[in-house]
């Protein structure tokens, strides 16, 4: 069993739709959770960073963490074609220079 | 925000030659940097953790003699793929964390093609 599981998709939705991306994990020691967006042939860019259960909102993006269920989500509201990318969840045990464990990534396409 | 610069962005080399990839933290110091490898349509696989002034820590299954890592300063780490072969063709990405910010910043990646 992988430490972090993420549905690779692909996921295709119409413009304006609400997108839900999810990851589950097995290691209860994970305390820090991140969502990255990666465009083709580019390095990942950080979208959201959370370290506690609950919701965190930033513009059209909401990150949700449920440590009791070992489940994290990223919601994208009013999705735009420019949101089309691969979304990767990542997590670590500590806040310092700890290695990240990534999910497989979900390929998302927003259709105009 | 924190910026990590990675060069070259793409390189083509002949089989048997060595290739060096540079990763620089532009506006912060990074005592630790990470090197990843990514195959098409797959996630990032951590290869090694680069520590300034000391030996790198390699993940299981990664050949340390093939993938040489040097972290000679607080802003520069290099990955050298020695005696490259076609199966080493991949997308290599480095990352570092600025202590003043959250999360990890990634370089733009290097696409290596060995012919």
């Amino acid at each position: 069993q992988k430490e972090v599981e993420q549905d690779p998709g692909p996921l295709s939705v119409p413009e304006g739709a609400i997108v839900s991306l999810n990851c589950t994990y097995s290691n209860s020691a994970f305390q820090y959770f991140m969502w990255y967006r990666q465009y083709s042939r580019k390095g990942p860019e950080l979208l959201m960073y959370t370290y506690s259960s609950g919701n965190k909102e930033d513009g059209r993006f909401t990150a949700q963490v449920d440590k009791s269920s070992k489940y994290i989500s990223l919601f994208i509201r009013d999705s735009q074609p420019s949101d089309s990318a691969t979304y990767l969840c990542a997590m670590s045990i500590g806040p310092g220079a700890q290695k990240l464990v990534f999910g497989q990534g979900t390929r998302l396409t927003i259709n105009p | 925000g924190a910026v990590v610069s990675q060069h070259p962005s793409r390189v083509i080399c002949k089989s048997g030659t060595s290739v060096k990839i540079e990763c620089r933290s532009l506006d912060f110091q990074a005592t630790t940097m990470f090197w990843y490898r990514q195959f098409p349509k797959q996630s990032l696989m951590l290869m090694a953790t680069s520590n300034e002034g000391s030996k790198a820590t390699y993940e299981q299954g990664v050949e340390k003699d093939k993938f040489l890592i040097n972290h000679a300063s607080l802003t520069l780490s290099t990955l050298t793929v020695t005696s490259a072969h076609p199966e080493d063709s991949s997308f290599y990405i480095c990352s570092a964390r600025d202590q003043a910010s959250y999360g990890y910043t990634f370089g733009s990646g290097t696409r290596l093609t060995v012919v």
Side-chain angles (χ1 to χ4, degrees):
Chain A
Q1 181 187 9
K2 293 180 181 178
E3 277 191 291
V4 180
E5 298 275 2
Q6 183 177 6
D7 186 343
L11 180 63
S12 182
V13 301
E15 183 176 356
I18 297 175
V19 176
S20 173
L21 304 168
N22 312 293
C23 288
T24 59
Y25 62 96
S26 57
N27 188 349
S28 58
F30 287 136
Q31 298 293 324
Y32 295 82
F33 306 92
M34 287 144 274
W35 285 95
Y36 285 86
R37 176 174 63 195
Q38 186 178 25
Y39 292 111
S40 181
R41 301 177 183 177
K42 298 290 184 183
E45 58 176 315
L46 181 66
L47 283 177
M48 301 288 285
Y49 177 99
T50 56
Y51 56 89
S52 60
S53 286
N55 294 350
K56 181 178 181 180
E57 189 174 316
D58 184 0
R60 297 185 294 113
F61 299 91
T62 299
Q64 191 174 78
V65 174
D66 183 348
K67 290 185 178 179
S68 62
S69 301
K70 299 189 182 69
Y71 187 89
I72 68 171
S73 300
L74 177 70
F75 298 96
I76 307 174
R77 293 185 299 280
D78 187 24
S79 56
Q80 305 294 312
S82 58
D83 295 328
S84 298
T86 296
Y87 289 79
L88 299 134
C89 64
M91 42 199 83
S92 68
I93 295 173
Q98 302 281 340
K99 64 179 184 181
L100 297 180
V101 179
F102 281 88
Q104 189 174 351
T106 300
R107 296 184 66 193
L108 173 66
T109 300
I110 308 297
N111 301 304
Chain B
V3 177
V4 173
S5 175
Q6 185 173 344
H7 293 281
S9 58
R10 57 192 322 173
V11 58
I12 300 173
C13 71
K14 292 184 178 180
S15 186
T17 62
S18 296
V19 173
K20 180 184 285 188
I21 303 170
E22 291 189 350
C23 181
R24 293 180 184 273
S25 57
L26 293 188
D27 48 2
F28 66 99
Q29 294 181 333
T31 55
T32 304
M33 293 185 177
F34 302 89
W35 287 95
Y36 294 84
R37 184 173 181 175
Q38 187 177 34
F39 291 105
K41 298 183 181 180
Q42 294 190 25
S43 190
L44 284 75
M45 290 178 51
L46 181 65
M47 298 175 63
T49 302
S50 172
N51 305 297
E52 187 269 335
S54 64
K55 293 182 179 179
T57 304
Y58 290 82
E59 295 299 300
Q60 189 174 9
V62 177
E63 300 176 60
K64 60 181 180 181
D65 294 331
K66 181 168 188 61
F67 299 100
L68 300 179
I69 291 174
N70 184 279
H71 195 153
S73 77
L74 288 171
T75 59
L76 174 64
S77 176
T78 60
L79 168 68
T80 301
V81 183
T82 63
S83 186
H85 292 284
E87 57 266 30
D88 298 324
S89 299
S90 189
F91 193 54
Y92 293 87
I93 313 174
C94 67
S95 79
R97 182 172 180 267
D98 177 7
Q99 300 298 318
S101 64
Y102 296 111
Y104 295 75
T105 302
F106 284 80
S108 55
T110 298
R111 182 158 302 281
L112 171 64
T113 303
V114 185
V115 298

